[in-house]
């Protein structure tokens, strides 16, 4: 009987300024845990999330947590290599981190492309949404919807690692979009030798919507 199961390995970037909650989001998504005591990432960390997408498809999602200060260095081109999607994260309580969003987006657009020269699909995460009220929520949502449409983001989500808001939903949205791009699937068909990470381990490389 012909084998119908498919496995894919996708590299997804998680980027944004220092202290916006990138590591917290990844820890919540991969390990279902939250702590107030994470230290600043140095260089890049990466973690693996194994997603049984459906009865025929298994996705191994490799999440690369790029340190907030790395945008000012030359290593991001290396870190971005072979990525097929990205999250840009900002802290909803710190306007300076939102002002940096387009700098990160431009950095991605300049340094990494999909096959055929297409831009990477990028989702914006407005993190720490547990810190805003409902009035602010509506005004900000209208603004972010227009902002993402004007600046080439695939979509956006309010997220909170602390309260576990929309993290799974944002990841599933991005992975679903990647899976819908058939030309990517051939290049990223997994095999047994590609991944050596354990889904329960966060490794450190020191080379260093709700809409």
């Amino acid at each position: 009987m012909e084998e119908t199961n498919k496995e894919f390995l996708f590299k997804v970037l998680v980027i944004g300024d220092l202290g916006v909650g990138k590591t917290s989001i990844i820890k919540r998504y991969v390990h279902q845990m939250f702590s107030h005591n994470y230290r600043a990432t140095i260089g890049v960390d990466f973690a693996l999330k194994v997603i049984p997408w459906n009865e025929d498809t298994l996705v191994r999602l490799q999440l690369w947590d790029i340190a907030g200060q790395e945008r000012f260095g030359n290593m991001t081109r290396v870190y971005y290599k072979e990525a097929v999607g990205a999250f840009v994260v900002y802290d909803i309580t710190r306007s300076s981190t939102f002002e940096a969003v387009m700098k990160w987006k431009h950095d991605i657009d300049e340094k990494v492309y999909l096959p055929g020269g297409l831009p990477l699909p990028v989702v914006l995460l407005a993190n720490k949404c547990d810190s805003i009220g409902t009035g602010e929520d509506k005004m900000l949502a209208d603004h972010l919807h227009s902002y993402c449409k004007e600046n080439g983001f695939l979509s956006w989500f309010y997220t909170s690692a602390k309260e576990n808001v929309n993290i799974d939903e944002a990841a599933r949205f991005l992975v679903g979009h990647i899976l819908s791009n058939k030309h990517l699937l051939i290049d990223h068909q997994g095999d047994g030798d590609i991944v050596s990470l354990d889904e329960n381990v966060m490794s450190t490389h020191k080379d260093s919507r709700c809409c």
Side-chain angles (χ1 to χ4, degrees):
M1 187 173 179
E2 185 179 351
E3 179 63 55
T4 58
N5 289 342
K6 300 181 288 293
E7 292 191 17
F8 299 100
L9 173 65
F10 296 142
K11 176 178 176 179
V12 168
L13 310 173
V14 184
I15 61 177
D17 270 12
L18 186 68
V20 296
K22 300 182 297 295
T23 301
S24 295
I25 286 172
I26 292 174
K27 287 282 191 180
R28 172 63 80 177
Y29 181 55
V30 175
H31 306 298
Q32 292 302 308
M33 61 179 289
F34 175 80
S35 171
H36 291 282
N37 300 318
Y38 294 134
R39 291 179 294 178
T41 301
I42 299 172
V44 59
D45 286 352
F46 48 90
L48 184 73
K49 175 78 170 182
V50 178
I51 309 169
W53 189 258
N54 56 40
E55 61 182 10
D56 297 320
T57 306
L58 184 74
V59 174
R60 300 180 186 274
L61 189 63
Q62 204 177 66
L63 297 159
W64 285 61
D65 177 5
I66 312 296
Q69 65 271 25
E70 285 297 316
R71 180 168 50 83
F72 304 104
N74 296 317
M75 287 298 293
T76 51
R77 191 179 298 274
V78 176
Y79 298 153
Y80 293 173
K81 187 178 180 182
E82 297 183 352
V84 294
F87 293 109
V88 175
V89 186
Y90 83 96
D91 180 346
I92 212 167
T93 69
R94 293 162 54 209
S95 60
S96 62
T97 65
F98 180 73
E99 292 165 5
V101 162
M102 284 311 300
K103 295 176 183 177
W104 284 102
K105 177 70 162 55
H106 289 149
D107 198 49
I108 292 174
D109 291 345
E110 291 173 1
K111 294 177 179 177
V112 61
Y113 308 93
L114 297 180
L118 296 173
L120 220 63
V122 181
V123 173
L124 178 64
L125 302 185
N127 197 34
K128 306 186 184 180
C129 68
D130 52 286
S131 301
I132 63 169
T134 53
E136 278 183 294
D137 178 9
K138 179 64 170 66
M139 291 177 61
L140 187 56
D142 291 341
H143 172 64
L144 289 176
H145 182 75
S146 300
Y147 180 86
C148 289
K149 189 174 181 180
E150 292 168 4
N151 291 293
F153 288 89
L154 193 61
S155 189
W156 69 274
F157 289 80
Y158 283 132
T159 56
S160 169
K162 180 180 178 181
E163 302 295 335
N164 196 19
V165 176
N166 281 339
I167 293 172
D168 286 358
E169 290 82 355
R172 191 163 185 87
F173 175 83
L174 181 56
V175 172
H177 178 82
I178 295 168
L179 284 168
S180 72
N181 285 273
K182 304 298 184 185
H183 66 287
L184 285 179
L185 304 188
I186 297 172
D187 292 340
H188 293 84
Q189 185 84 39
D191 64 47
D193 297 326
I194 290 178
V195 181
S196 60
L197 294 178
D198 188 296
E199 64 178 309
N200 295 317
V201 176
M202 187 82 161
S203 300
T204 304
H205 177 65
K206 292 297 183 182
D207 274 18
S208 27
R209 152 175 127 155
C210 204
C211 60

